[in-house]
Amino acid sequence: MNVFYAKHPDVLSRYAADRFIEQLNKNPKSILGLATGSTPKKMYAYLGEDTRAGKVSFSQARSYNLDEYVGLPGDHPASYRYFMQEHLFSQVDFREGTTFLPNGVAQDLEREALRYDNKIREEGEMDILILGIGSNGHIGFNEPNIFFEAMTHVAELDESTRKDNSRFFDKLEDVPTHAISMGMRVIMQSKIILLMAFGENKAQAIYDTIKGKIDPRVPASILQLHPNATILIDEGAASLLEEADYVRL
Ligand code: PGA
C-alpha cells in the first residue's frame, strides 16, 4: 500500500483527479469505479474543470458506483444517483447510458445486487476505483464484520454510518436503513484503488487500515493485500500516524 500525505485535502483531490486523467488518457475506454460522499467532491470538481479545459474526456468510458440507498429513487436529492449527476455526470462528457449505479428501488433487491455484480464482472474488472472510508472503516457500504469474499449485496447500515450520513437528511429517521453495496470481491479486483480520507474523524479508521491486522472488523484493512492501492490522507486523517508511516506529496 502506498500512503501519501498532504496537509490540505485539495492537494490529495488534485492527485486523485490526475490519476483518473492519466488512466483515461492512456485508455479512453476505461472502466471507472466511483464513490459518493463529502470526500470526492473536490476531485469531481477538478475533473469537471479539466473536461471543460479539454484535458480529459469521459466520452468512451463507463462508470460503476459503489452503492445506492435502498428506497430512494434516482431523482431523490439524497440518492447517490442524484449526487453523482450533480457533482460529476453533469460536469463531464459521459455518453448517455454509460454511468451505472445499483437500483435502490428495484422490486427484488437481492436480484438487483446480483445483476449489478454480474454486470461489473462482465466488464472484466474496473481499471481505477476511488474510495472514501467510513469512520468505522467501511468501504462502500461493506460495514464492519463483512465477509471479505462478499459479492454485491443488500447491506444493513451500521448505526454509526446512519448517524454520519444524517447530515444529508432532515433527521436521523429519514436515513435509509439499507443500501445495495458493491462487494469486497469486486472492489479488490479493481486494478488501481485510491482511497481518500480527510479529517480527524477518520484517523482511527486510517490507523487501523494501515497499521492494524487485516480484520473484517475494519473492512478497509483488506487493502493491505491489494497490489496497487494508494491511501491519500490529510493532516486530520493522519493524526494517529507517525511521519515514517507515509510519504509527503
Ligand atoms: P464521506 O463518506 O466522504 O462523506 O466522509 C465516506 C464513506 O462513508 O465511505
Side-chain angles (χ1 to χ4, degrees):
M1 249 179 356
N2 303 308
V3 184
F4 292 152
Y5 165 95
K7 189 174 163 76
H8 199 277
D10 287 0
V11 176
L12 303 159
S13 301
R14 182 67 261 175
Y15 176 86
D18 286 343
R19 292 286 302 267
F20 267 65
I21 292 169
E22 181 188 21
Q23 174 63 39
L24 282 163
N25 288 340
K26 197 171 76 184
N27 176 13
K29 294 185 172 169
S30 291
I31 307 300
L32 311 176
L34 301 174
T36 53
S38 307
T39 311
K41 274 190 191 171
K42 187 78 189 190
M43 169 194 167
Y44 293 158
Y46 284 137
L47 290 173
E49 281 169 23
D50 291 335
T51 301
R52 286 188 287 280
K55 292 183 190 159
V56 64
S57 172
F58 292 74
S59 62
Q60 295 182 65
R62 287 195 295 287
S63 74
Y64 288 86
N65 263 83
L66 284 168
D67 40 25
E68 179 60 282
Y69 284 125
V70 164
L72 301 191
D75 59 359
H76 189 291
S79 76
Y80 285 173
R81 164 63 74 181
Y82 193 98
F83 174 99
M84 290 308 298
Q85 195 58 35
E86 183 179 354
H87 292 282
L88 187 69
F89 301 157
S90 63
Q91 306 299 313
V92 301
D93 59 344
F94 276 114
R95 275 176 302 128
E96 211 174 315
T98 55
T99 60
F100 304 102
L101 286 89
N103 176 6
V105 291
Q107 285 256 319
D108 184 336
L109 294 165
E110 303 289 344
R111 181 182 288 221
E112 169 60 10
L114 197 61
R115 182 196 67 81
Y116 196 69
D117 206 87
N118 285 333
K119 194 164 164 47
I120 300 170
R121 282 190 294 151
E122 276 164 22
E123 299 276 12
E125 60 231 333
M126 292 176 284
D127 290 296
I128 187 165
L129 165 66
I130 183 75
L131 295 175
I133 184 170
S135 58
N136 64 1
H138 75 195
I139 47 180
F141 280 124
N142 293 284
E143 300 285 28
N145 300 315
I146 190 67
F147 181 44
F148 281 140
E149 286 291 303
M151 297 188 43
T152 300
H153 59 285
V154 180
E156 184 173 359
L157 307 189
D158 255 26
E159 272 319 292
S160 67
T161 297
R162 294 186 66 238
K163 226 173 266 166
D164 283 350
N165 289 4
S166 62
R167 67 191 190 280
F168 298 112
F169 295 83
D170 290 339
K171 49 187 189 312
L172 181 60
E173 300 84 80
D174 293 344
V175 183
T177 55
H178 291 77
I180 296 179
S181 176
M182 194 185 278
M184 296 297 284
R185 191 158 62 177
V186 182
I187 288 175
M188 284 298 280
Q189 279 164 354
S190 178
K191 289 184 202 151
I192 302 172
I193 296 181
L194 307 176
L195 182 152
M196 291 196 292
F198 305 154
E200 257 178 65
N201 69 325
K202 304 291 172 72
Q204 187 65 49
I206 283 297
Y207 180 88
D208 294 341
T209 296
I210 293 170
K211 306 274 279 186
K213 288 207 186 78
I214 297 170
D215 185 332
R217 284 174 293 187
V218 183
S221 63
I222 190 77
L223 297 177
Q224 291 179 24
L225 294 181
H226 192 278
N228 193 351
T230 299
I231 313 288
L232 300 163
I233 46 175
D234 74 348
E235 190 174 27
S239 56
L240 297 176
L241 298 176
E242 291 158 29
E243 283 268 344
D245 295 326
Y246 51 74
V247 173
R248 285 174 182 268
L249 265 191

